[in-house]
Amino acid sequence: MKLLKKLTILAFAILLTINCHAQQKKESLLWKVSGNGLSKPSYIAATFHTLCAEHFIIKDKVKEAIESADQFILEINYLDPKEVETLQRMVTAEKPLGEQLSAAEATRLDSILRKSYNSNFEAVKKYTPQALYALISQKSIDCSAEDVRYYDAELLKLAASKNKKFGGLESAQAQLDYIGKAYNLQQIIDQLAQGDEYARIAKKMIQAFNNEETDNLYQLSTDKRFMSTEQKKWVLDQRNKDWATVSMPQIMQQGTALFAMGGAHLSGENGVIELLRKQGYTLSPVNEISDL
């Protein structure tokens, strides 16, 4: 009997330990931000900017969070005409790529574009490096243009239908400047050359996103083949610090906000979740609508 009792206690202890570890490892595409003087909670929703229709879904808990929010905040406020104008202006370079590349480099870029992007150097020769870099996002989708879904845009439409106040975490110019700091023209061409490899890892990223495995999504997004430590500093870490220490606290003081940002921004020691926790906020995964 004593042995049986000890085994029962041991089994219970093991189950309790497993349960505690499971709670510690909870992940979600939606997080609740509370405490640290906030009168009302706010929410962070992870996005995957471009998806095919077969992988696209806005979960009910995200819809409910938008419904309960006073403000809908994207990385950039795409409803601000000035921001849109900046993005449009930054597509065309003052100094064409043809003047920045040698003949051999232009030939290499042309070959990459023809092989993997259904394009050519002539089509992009007036692009800025940032606009050229954006082409790699094509490798995360393998469906027709009619089946492409832009997650941020769909969330924005949903928020607009609810007459929410809109805003952005950063200016379009700031985002473009950070990308410019992260990748020079040669590095961007090297990234484009890895397009097929990126397409393979993108499938894993989409699976991680739909399974709400935010830590795995972060690890895949920061794969050394596509993002060096220096590039991660500008694409993720510094922007996260700007958002979590300046933009988000200011916005949350104005009422409940739903922040929609790329899923890779959430996890990691310099992720938005950890940075907000260090400031005294309570971050809780929202797994069910009842968690809101």
Side-chain angles (χ1 to χ4, degrees), residues 139-140 142 198-208 220:
K139 306 307 291 185
S140 66
D142 58 359
Y198 182 78
R200 284 188 280 273
I201 203 170
K203 291 182 179 179
K204 296 180 180 179
M205 291 166 65
I206 292 170
Q207 183 177 16
L220 291 167

Side-chain angles (χ1 to χ4, degrees), residues 170-272:
E170 64 189 2
S171 68
Q173 186 62 58
Q175 186 174 110
L176 293 167
D177 287 346
Y178 278 136
I179 293 173
K181 290 178 180 179
Y183 298 98
N184 62 39
L185 183 52
Q186 292 301 327
Q187 290 171 325
I188 288 172
I189 294 174
D190 289 341
Q191 288 286 301
L192 292 172
Q194 297 188 82
D196 292 338
E197 186 63 27
Y198 182 78
R200 284 188 280 273
I201 203 170
K203 291 182 179 179
K204 296 180 180 179
M205 291 166 65
I206 292 170
Q207 183 177 16
F209 178 78
N210 284 332
N211 289 339
E212 303 203 44
E213 299 168 352
T214 47
D215 290 346
N216 187 23
L217 178 61
Y218 170 75
Q219 293 299 329
L220 291 167
S221 300
T222 56
D223 187 299
K224 296 295 185 181
R225 289 171 293 176
F226 310 103
M227 191 180 292
S228 68
T229 300
E230 180 67 13
Q231 290 160 350
K232 176 176 169 291
K233 169 186 174 181
W234 296 114
V235 174
L236 293 177
D237 296 350
Q238 188 57 52
R239 294 170 67 206
N240 290 345
K241 290 176 183 177
D242 290 347
W243 300 351
T245 62
V246 181
S247 303
M248 296 176 74
Q250 291 177 352
I251 292 170
M252 289 189 291
Q253 290 297 330
Q254 300 170 20
T256 298
L258 187 290
F259 299 99
M261 62 183 70
H265 289 280
L266 271 65
S267 296
E269 62 179 345
N270 290 312
V272 167

Side-chain angles (χ1 to χ4, degrees), residues 18-61:
I18 291 173
N19 185 53
C20 287
H21 282 305
Q23 289 180 354
Q24 290 171 357
K25 294 181 179 179
K26 276 187 177 180
E27 296 180 83
S28 177
L29 294 182
L30 183 65
W31 288 75
K32 181 178 180 179
V33 186
S34 59
N36 200 27
L38 293 181
S39 59
K40 295 191 294 184
S42 285
Y43 302 94
I44 302 170
T47 73
F48 199 103
H49 300 309
T50 309
L51 290 165
C52 291
E54 64 177 307
H55 302 303
F56 175 79
I57 182 173
I58 300 176
K59 297 191 175 182
D60 289 341
K61 62 183 181 180

Side-chain angles (χ1 to χ4, degrees), residues 70-102:
D70 304 309
Q71 314 165 80
F72 179 75
I73 312 295
L74 285 166
E75 293 179 18
I76 298 172
N77 184 1
Y78 295 106
L79 294 185
D80 185 333
K82 292 182 179 179
E83 301 289 20
V84 174
E85 182 182 345
T86 297
L87 291 172
Q88 292 174 335
R89 188 172 63 250
M90 290 301 290
V91 171
T92 304
E94 294 181 7
K95 186 178 181 181
L97 293 179
E99 296 180 14
Q100 300 183 53
L101 299 172
S102 67

